[in-house]
Amino acid sequence: MHNKIIAIVGGGQAAAMAAVALRQQGFDGELHLFSNEPHQPYERPPLSKAMLLDDAPQLQPVLNTAWWQEKNVHLHLNVTIQTLGRQTHQLVLADGQVYPWDQLLIATGAAARPLPLLDKLGDRCFTLRHVDDATRLRDALLPGKSIVIVGAGTIGLELAASATQRGCRVTVVEQAPTVMGRNAPAPVRDYLLARHQQAGVRVLLNSAIEHAEAGEFLSLTLQNGETLTADTVIYGIGIVANDTLARDAGLETANGIIVNTTCTTSDPAIFAAGDVALTRQPDGSLRRVESWENANFQAQIAATAMLGLPLPTATPGWFWTDQYSDNLQFVGEMQGESWLCRGNPEDGKAIWFQLRDGAIIGATALNNGREVRVLRKLIQSGRAMSEEALCDEGVALKSL
């Protein structure tokens, strides 16, 4: 496995973990990673939490510096790639340097979907994707400042919690009729809405901004005519995949690089993983999973496919969010309206279950992190089980 050269384009979780997977699975050939950031690959989840809340926030690297050196992975940081060189198998950098490759993995991630109405407000308007965004935002989240957050998805609610904990006055504006509508069950959405309201966050659902202008304060006019004033505006309304290089190379794209179940693109020598990848499903639909865990899993898939090894076994999807003192972990299928509950959310500890034909297909754990491993096993088992036992805190889940 040492005669070929593999290039990884991207500097996030999927890129770093693909390098790990390649070395772990025996690839000892030339391995290069190219990133347009000056930092070694770092963890993104802390950007909306620890990087804003810790007294002395530190960037959390995915791997320490010694690992890259010991595993002989060539890091090319703070570089811009001009072309992938699909025909020539040569990456060309903006400064003219050329690097050959035999196989290529694109893990360029995504950018915040722009909102021109708010972008015109200038440097008091923020999105959050990179450490530099978090550093700049931290300086704006000062006690007593008025913050408007547009979008009540996971990132919006995490930012609302962090801003509130920093002493800001926070208003959240969301077009949908609920918070975290894309990826949380109805009872969890209700819990989170109440949790934020109890913390003093004003949450405006079914609301949209119609006009925005900058003066001494930022002024935001809602469709219902109400005007909000703020020192700072943050928005998170989805992503735009960083697929320009792939599109320019003639790969199949659709706000993301289209891949099959082995993370292979329309070119058999080129693979894609993480937020930039869209997996074609058996019914022809395209699916993107924006999570830390999926970035890791697709990195493994891509690495094994590149080396012609057996693919890893899929496990139930998993992601988490930390808001205030709460940790919520989501496993399996989140769509559906019929959920059972174990414990009492008002006491700050609960697990919600969704069943199909008596078997658990999805679960959300509130401050129950120790049970997540068991929940994943129960979902994987596909066994029917007693609703009464699931909801009885006196019955250990691992006994089921």
Side-chain angles (χ1 to χ4, degrees), residues 105 259-265 270-274 277 279 297-299 301-302 305:
L105 172 65
V259 298
N260 62 17
T261 53
T262 66
C263 288
T264 309
T265 70
I270 303 178
F271 301 75
T279 304
F297 185 57
Q298 285 195 319
I301 292 174

Short mmCIF file of all heavy atoms in Angstrom, two decimals, residues 105 259-265 270-274 277 279 297-299 301-302 305:
data_model
loop_
_atom_site.label_atom_id
_atom_site.label_comp_id
_atom_site.label_asym_id
_atom_site.label_seq_id
_atom_site.Cartn_x
_atom_site.Cartn_y
_atom_site.Cartn_z
N LEU A 105 -9.20 12.66 -1.70
CA LEU A 105 -10.38 12.78 -0.83
C LEU A 105 -10.68 14.25 -0.62
O LEU A 105 -9.81 15.02 -0.19
CB LEU A 105 -10.14 12.10 0.52
CG LEU A 105 -11.26 12.34 1.56
CD1 LEU A 105 -12.57 11.71 1.12
CD2 LEU A 105 -10.85 11.83 2.93
N VAL A 259 -21.99 11.42 -3.81
CA VAL A 259 -21.20 10.19 -3.66
C VAL A 259 -22.13 8.99 -3.54
O VAL A 259 -23.33 9.14 -3.26
CB VAL A 259 -20.28 10.25 -2.42
CG1 VAL A 259 -19.28 11.39 -2.54
CG2 VAL A 259 -21.10 10.39 -1.13
N ASN A 260 -21.56 7.80 -3.73
CA ASN A 260 -22.33 6.59 -3.47
C ASN A 260 -22.07 6.12 -2.05
O ASN A 260 -21.47 6.85 -1.24
CB ASN A 260 -22.01 5.51 -4.52
CG ASN A 260 -20.54 5.07 -4.47
OD1 ASN A 260 -19.84 5.33 -3.49
ND2 ASN A 260 -20.09 4.42 -5.52
N THR A 261 -22.50 4.93 -1.71
CA THR A 261 -22.37 4.46 -0.32
C THR A 261 -20.93 4.19 0.09
O THR A 261 -20.66 3.99 1.27
CB THR A 261 -23.20 3.18 -0.12
OG1 THR A 261 -22.84 2.22 -1.12
CG2 THR A 261 -24.70 3.48 -0.22
N THR A 262 -19.99 4.19 -0.85
CA THR A 262 -18.57 4.05 -0.51
C THR A 262 -17.85 5.40 -0.52
O THR A 262 -16.62 5.44 -0.52
CB THR A 262 -17.86 3.08 -1.48
OG1 THR A 262 -17.83 3.65 -2.79
CG2 THR A 262 -18.57 1.73 -1.53
N CYS A 263 -18.62 6.48 -0.55
CA CYS A 263 -18.06 7.84 -0.58
C CYS A 263 -17.28 8.13 -1.85
O CYS A 263 -16.44 9.03 -1.90
CB CYS A 263 -17.18 8.13 0.65
SG CYS A 263 -18.13 8.32 2.17
N THR A 264 -17.56 7.36 -2.91
CA THR A 264 -16.91 7.57 -4.20
C THR A 264 -17.72 8.56 -5.02
O THR A 264 -18.95 8.45 -5.10
CB THR A 264 -16.78 6.25 -4.98
OG1 THR A 264 -16.20 5.27 -4.13
CG2 THR A 264 -15.93 6.43 -6.22
N THR A 265 -17.05 9.52 -5.63
CA THR A 265 -17.71 10.52 -6.47
C THR A 265 -17.95 9.95 -7.86
O THR A 265 -17.73 8.76 -8.11
CB THR A 265 -16.85 11.79 -6.59
OG1 THR A 265 -15.68 11.48 -7.38
CG2 THR A 265 -16.41 12.30 -5.21
N ILE A 270 -11.69 9.69 -7.01
CA ILE A 270 -11.93 10.82 -6.12
C ILE A 270 -13.08 10.49 -5.17
O ILE A 270 -14.13 9.99 -5.59
CB ILE A 270 -12.26 12.10 -6.91
CG1 ILE A 270 -11.11 12.42 -7.89
CG2 ILE A 270 -12.48 13.28 -5.97
CD1 ILE A 270 -11.37 13.65 -8.76
N PHE A 271 -12.88 10.79 -3.90
CA PHE A 271 -13.84 10.48 -2.85
C PHE A 271 -14.21 11.78 -2.12
O PHE A 271 -13.50 12.78 -2.22
CB PHE A 271 -13.24 9.47 -1.87
CG PHE A 271 -12.85 8.17 -2.52
CD1 PHE A 271 -11.70 8.09 -3.32
CD2 PHE A 271 -13.61 7.03 -2.36
CE1 PHE A 271 -11.33 6.90 -3.93
CE2 PHE A 271 -13.25 5.84 -2.97
CZ PHE A 271 -12.11 5.78 -3.75
N ALA A 272 -15.32 11.76 -1.39
CA ALA A 272 -15.72 12.93 -0.61
C ALA A 272 -16.36 12.47 0.69
O ALA A 272 -17.01 11.41 0.74
CB ALA A 272 -16.69 13.81 -1.39
N ALA A 273 -16.18 13.25 1.76
CA ALA A 273 -16.70 12.88 3.07
C ALA A 273 -17.00 14.14 3.88
O ALA A 273 -16.43 15.21 3.65
CB ALA A 273 -15.69 12.01 3.81
N GLY A 274 -17.91 13.99 4.86
CA GLY A 274 -18.25 15.09 5.74
C GLY A 274 -19.37 15.95 5.18
O GLY A 274 -20.16 15.51 4.33
N ALA A 277 -20.33 16.23 1.45
CA ALA A 277 -20.78 15.05 0.71
C ALA A 277 -22.30 14.87 0.78
O ALA A 277 -22.92 15.08 1.82
CB ALA A 277 -20.09 13.80 1.26
N THR A 279 -24.92 11.80 -0.09
CA THR A 279 -24.96 10.38 -0.45
C THR A 279 -26.25 10.06 -1.18
O THR A 279 -27.35 10.37 -0.70
CB THR A 279 -24.85 9.51 0.81
OG1 THR A 279 -23.67 9.86 1.53
CG2 THR A 279 -24.79 8.03 0.43
N PHE A 297 -17.42 8.80 10.56
CA PHE A 297 -17.82 7.54 9.92
C PHE A 297 -17.52 7.58 8.42
O PHE A 297 -16.98 6.62 7.86
CB PHE A 297 -19.30 7.28 10.18
CG PHE A 297 -19.77 5.95 9.65
CD1 PHE A 297 -19.18 4.77 10.07
CD2 PHE A 297 -20.80 5.88 8.73
CE1 PHE A 297 -19.60 3.54 9.59
CE2 PHE A 297 -21.24 4.66 8.24
CZ PHE A 297 -20.63 3.48 8.67
N GLN A 298 -17.85 8.70 7.76
CA GLN A 298 -17.57 8.78 6.33
C GLN A 298 -16.07 8.80 6.06
O GLN A 298 -15.62 8.30 5.02
CB GLN A 298 -18.25 10.01 5.72
CG GLN A 298 -19.76 9.83 5.56
CD GLN A 298 -20.35 10.87 4.64
OE1 GLN A 298 -19.99 12.04 4.69
NE2 GLN A 298 -21.27 10.44 3.79
N ALA A 299 -15.29 9.35 6.97
CA ALA A 299 -13.83 9.30 6.82
C ALA A 299 -13.35 7.86 6.80
O ALA A 299 -12.49 7.47 6.00
CB ALA A 299 -13.16 10.07 7.95
N ILE A 301 -15.23 5.22 5.98
CA ILE A 301 -15.73 4.60 4.75
C ILE A 301 -14.81 4.93 3.58
O ILE A 301 -14.40 4.05 2.82
CB ILE A 301 -17.16 5.09 4.43
CG1 ILE A 301 -18.16 4.55 5.47
CG2 ILE A 301 -17.59 4.65 3.04
CD1 ILE A 301 -19.55 5.11 5.30
N ALA A 302 -14.51 6.23 3.44
CA ALA A 302 -13.67 6.65 2.31
C ALA A 302 -12.30 5.98 2.36
O ALA A 302 -11.78 5.51 1.35
CB ALA A 302 -13.52 8.17 2.31
N ALA A 305 -12.55 2.32 1.41
CA ALA A 305 -12.84 2.19 -0.02
C ALA A 305 -11.60 2.50 -0.86
O ALA A 305 -11.33 1.82 -1.86
CB ALA A 305 -14.00 3.11 -0.40
#
